[in-house]
Amino acid sequence: MSSKPDASRPRAADTKKVHIADTQMTRQNWYRHVNWLNVTFIIGVPLAGCIQAFWVPLQLKTAIWAVIYYFFTGLGITAGYHRLWAHCSYSATLPLRIWLALVGGGAVEGSIRWWARDHRAHHRYTDTDKDPYSVRKGLLYSHLGWMVMKQNPKRIGRTDITDLNEDPVVVWQHRNYIKVVLTMGLIVPMLVSGLGWGDWYGGFVYAGILRIFFVQQATFCVNSLAHWLGDQPFDDRNSPRDHIITALVTLGEGYHNFHHEFPSDYRNAIEWHQYDPTKWTIWTCKQLGLAYDLKQFRSNEIEKGRVQQLQKKIDQKRAKLDWGTPLDQLPVMEWDDYVEQTKNGRGLISIAGVVHDVTDFIKDHPGGKAMIKSGLGKDATAMFNGGVYYHSNGAHNLLSTMRVGVIRGGGEVEIWKRAQKENSEYVRDETGQRIIRAGQQVTKMPEPIPTADAA
């Protein structure tokens, strides 16, 4: 006999606790949604440093040291956490890996393992609910909100960090992260200032606390500003963008559209004039024998992506222009009907088998009324393509907007029939419209058609 369930025990469904992030925020429970530990380190400590700065004078030597250490710890994130461990865009020797792990910890942005795991999820699930800092949830959320507000870890997309778990430097830093933070984030900058020129308190406040604040905010800009400000020269399906301002703020991480398209490339900036000190640092380390296997995406594929995006933007502009009624949508006219309508006062002209209504354009014709009227009711192909005047691309494009029909049979449509023989001869844009390039208009012949001399 089956035993009855114990009424004193909760059912299985009751044991599943709902994460606070999956509940609605109210006036009564808002404080439970806040990650107070992160608020303390990201907002509280920097605020305390700003207050202390009112009573602690800033010495020139301390200011210089704070800037230098800012670059050290910033590169620990960009060259270390980001390009080395999150994307494996190059390989580093043990001394360089240890150094990057230490100074990266001095930026106080979490351990390598935690940071790289979330960043890989960000790339894999960009702009989706599984993106830990999706800009779709708001600029402020992607910059700061995702850290100061609790997130359900089960909602973040899964990624493979097997390589990180097998790296002894990553494992060591993760296990000793608090010690690394205190030592490299506060003690080292204070010791340098104190032992170097006696400015212990200044080193603690400026090279320690405030330097951490600025490094953190610069890194956060990669998650927010780099997904909001700038151009998208390689792909516009997602939010990443390129902008010089973001690059200046983030030690070269601002060419984010390129980075999301080619994340395994050790560079963010591919042009010599673009600001990317992280790339320069990695290259320098290679020359010193500290880095190797620097990965670069093939330039051919990079340029293909750039050209495809340019073509997409051109197609979007093209779709807004009037290119005339497509030939396959025009009504078919008999030659006699075309001539008859012209005799009845309609200003029709046939060029390459396509009939155009130029009634309203006759008075504006640059060549004069008499010239255009002489072609009405006739096959004006030769006249239009050099017999009288070899018209410009602009003239052919304007003429395309006046199409009203095509003529059936006869020599008048041979040119058009040849072009229509195979649909594959046409290049189409993303909307399916035929792309008419300059010099390839239906009405324009490659060479002027010879005509007989006047008698």
Side-chain angles (χ1 to χ4, degrees):
M1 295 178 61
S2 60
S3 60
K4 295 182 180 180
D6 187 352
S8 64
R9 291 186 178 183
R11 288 175 296 180
D14 296 333
T15 62
K16 294 181 179 179
K17 186 177 180 180
V18 179
H19 195 277
I20 184 64
D22 295 331
T23 63
Q24 185 177 3
M25 185 186 299
T26 64
R27 291 183 179 180
Q28 288 73 33
N29 72 354
W30 67 268
Y31 62 92
R32 296 179 58 206
H33 285 262
V34 178
N35 188 324
W36 291 107
L37 180 63
N38 284 352
V39 168
T40 301
F41 283 109
I42 297 174
I43 298 177
V45 173
L47 183 61
C50 290
I51 295 173
Q52 292 178 64
F54 281 100
W55 291 277
V56 180
L58 176 59
Q59 297 184 24
L60 178 60
K61 291 181 180 179
T62 303
I64 294 174
W65 164 236
V67 171
I68 293 173
Y69 202 54
Y70 168 89
F71 274 89
F72 282 166
T73 53
L75 289 169
I77 297 296
T78 60
Y81 279 40
H82 188 208
R83 302 192 196 185
L84 175 60
W85 281 296
H87 294 296
C88 305
S89 62
Y90 70 100
S91 299
T93 59
L94 181 61
L96 180 58
R97 297 207 325 272
I98 293 174
W99 170 250
L100 290 173
L102 289 174
V103 293
V108 194
E109 296 184 16
S111 69
I112 298 168
R113 185 178 182 276
W114 175 86
W115 197 103
R117 179 250 178 274
D118 271 12
H119 191 73
R120 289 180 182 182
H122 166 66
H123 271 263
R124 186 176 182 181
Y125 303 101
T126 304
D127 297 341
T128 69
D129 289 339
K130 293 183 178 181
D131 182 348
Y133 28 87
S134 172
V135 76
R136 302 297 186 200
K137 298 179 182 179
L139 186 66
L140 184 59
Y141 179 87
S142 64
H143 186 80
L144 201 63
W146 69 280
M147 285 178 292
V148 300
M149 304 302 293
K150 291 180 180 178
Q151 287 196 78
N152 186 346
K154 294 182 179 179
R155 300 290 182 187
I156 300 175
R158 294 184 177 182
T159 57
D160 181 12
I161 56 171
T162 305
D163 59 316
L164 301 179
N165 293 331
E166 294 175 350
D167 188 327
V169 174
V170 174
V171 173
W172 173 84
Q173 196 231 36
H174 185 72
R175 290 176 177 173
N176 299 277
Y177 180 66
I178 299 300
K179 296 177 182 178
V180 173
V181 165
L182 293 175
T183 303
M184 300 302 296
L186 298 173
I187 296 175
V188 167
M190 181 176 64
L191 282 175
V192 172
S193 297
L195 297 176
W197 49 91
D199 189 15
W200 296 88
Y201 208 17
F204 179 78
V205 173
Y206 294 105
I209 295 176
L210 293 184
R211 186 265 319 160
I212 291 173
F213 171 72
F214 286 114
V215 170
Q216 288 178 342
Q217 295 305 311
T219 305
F220 300 162
C221 283
V222 180
N223 303 331
S224 58
L225 203 61
H227 286 260
W228 177 73
L229 177 67
D231 301 321
Q232 296 177 300
F234 297 98
D235 191 9
D236 63 359
R237 292 175 299 170
N238 293 318
S239 60
R241 298 171 181 272
D242 289 359
H243 202 284
I244 180 61
I245 290 179
T246 317
L248 291 172
V249 171
T250 61
L251 301 183
E253 303 281 31
Y255 303 100
H256 214 51
N257 191 252
F258 172 86
H259 173 62
H260 267 256
E261 277 294 287
F262 313 105
S264 62
D265 198 309
Y266 87 96
R267 307 163 299 172
N268 261 207
I270 56 175
E271 305 295 341
W272 68 268
H273 55 82
Q274 292 176 320
Y275 180 76
D276 188 356
T278 302
K279 174 186 69 176
W280 303 332
T281 300
I282 296 172
W283 182 87
T284 301
C285 287
K286 178 186 177 183
Q287 309 311 309
L288 297 174
L290 297 172
Y292 57 96
D293 191 23
L294 276 58
K295 296 181 176 65
Q296 293 187 34
F297 224 83
R298 292 195 300 171
S299 59
N300 182 69
E301 310 313 312
I302 293 174
E303 288 308 308
K304 280 161 65 174
R306 196 198 305 269
V307 169
Q308 287 171 332
Q309 183 63 13
L310 284 172
Q311 187 63 59
K312 186 174 182 180
K313 292 179 179 179
I314 291 172
D315 289 344
Q316 291 170 349
K317 290 184 177 180
R318 178 186 291 109
K320 299 177 182 179
L321 302 176
D322 178 11
W323 296 90
T325 305
L327 296 179
D328 51 9
Q329 296 179 22
L330 292 171
V332 178
M333 301 175 63
E334 302 293 338
W335 178 260
D336 292 340
D337 182 36
Y338 158 65
V339 175
E340 184 65 25
Q341 289 191 41
T342 306
K343 290 180 179 179
N344 291 334
R346 193 177 181 190
L348 301 180
I349 190 169
S350 173
I351 301 175
V354 183
V355 180
H356 308 81
D357 190 340
V358 297
T359 305
D360 296 332
F361 182 70
I362 292 175
K363 65 180 184 302
D364 298 321
H365 184 235
K369 297 180 182 179
M371 191 66 67
I372 193 171
K373 284 183 176 180
S374 65
L376 299 180
K378 302 176 182 179
D379 178 9
T381 305
M383 179 189 301
F384 196 74
N385 285 280
V388 174
Y389 181 71
Y390 194 52
H391 285 77
S392 65
N393 286 320
H396 285 271
N397 287 332
L398 177 61
L399 189 66
S400 69
T401 64
M402 305 177 189
R403 298 170 183 161
V404 294
V406 292
I407 295 175
R408 188 201 310 276
E412 296 82 9
V413 293
E414 288 306 313
I415 297 172
W416 179 70
K417 284 167 64 178
R418 286 200 304 272
Q420 292 288 320
K421 189 180 299 181
E422 290 188 17
N423 193 46
S424 60
E425 293 181 7
Y426 291 95
V427 178
R428 296 179 181 269
D429 61 25
E430 292 187 339
T431 64
Q433 296 294 318
R434 291 170 181 161
I435 297 176
I436 308 300
R437 307 194 190 283
Q440 295 181 355
Q441 294 90 336
V442 176
T443 49
K444 189 162 187 173
M445 303 299 105
E447 298 179 359
I449 297 176
T451 57
D453 296 334

